[in-house]
Amino acid sequence: MIEIVIERSTNAEGEATYQWKVFDDDQEIETGRNTHFSADHCEESAVEFCWSQLGYKPDKVTRH
């Protein structure tokens, strides 16, 4: 099962930032290189990675 995990953190200016990781059966296979200021844009980036690099969309998306 392919899962995207969106992680939220706060930068030095107090703004929320988001980064994604992709897991395949609980093993991390990729981490996004860019930081996003929107959870939705972060998710779009992760789904695009899955589609272009793995050939299919994820089974699950989790936001923390």
Side-chain angles (χ1 to χ4, degrees), residues 1-27:
M1 177 179 85
I2 301 297
E3 178 181 9
I4 293 171
V5 175
I6 307 294
E7 297 179 337
R8 181 183 188 271
S9 60
T10 305
N11 67 16
E13 290 79 32
E15 300 168 316
T17 59
Y18 302 88
Q19 191 168 20
W20 57 262
K21 294 182 180 184
V22 177
F23 293 85
D24 185 2
D25 292 327
D26 296 326
Q27 282 196 322

Side-chain angles (χ1 to χ4, degrees), residues 17-60:
T17 59
Y18 302 88
Q19 191 168 20
W20 57 262
K21 294 182 180 184
V22 177
F23 293 85
D24 185 2
D25 292 327
D26 296 326
Q27 282 196 322
E28 184 177 331
I29 58 173
E30 186 68 41
T31 299
R33 292 174 179 85
N34 297 325
T35 300
H36 301 269
F37 291 100
S38 160
D40 290 336
H41 289 153
C42 187
E43 182 175 331
E44 289 172 14
S45 174
V47 169
E48 175 60 31
F49 166 82
C50 290
W51 185 248
S52 67
Q53 299 299 311
L54 305 176
Y56 44 86
K57 292 186 178 181
D59 300 297
K60 181 178 179 183

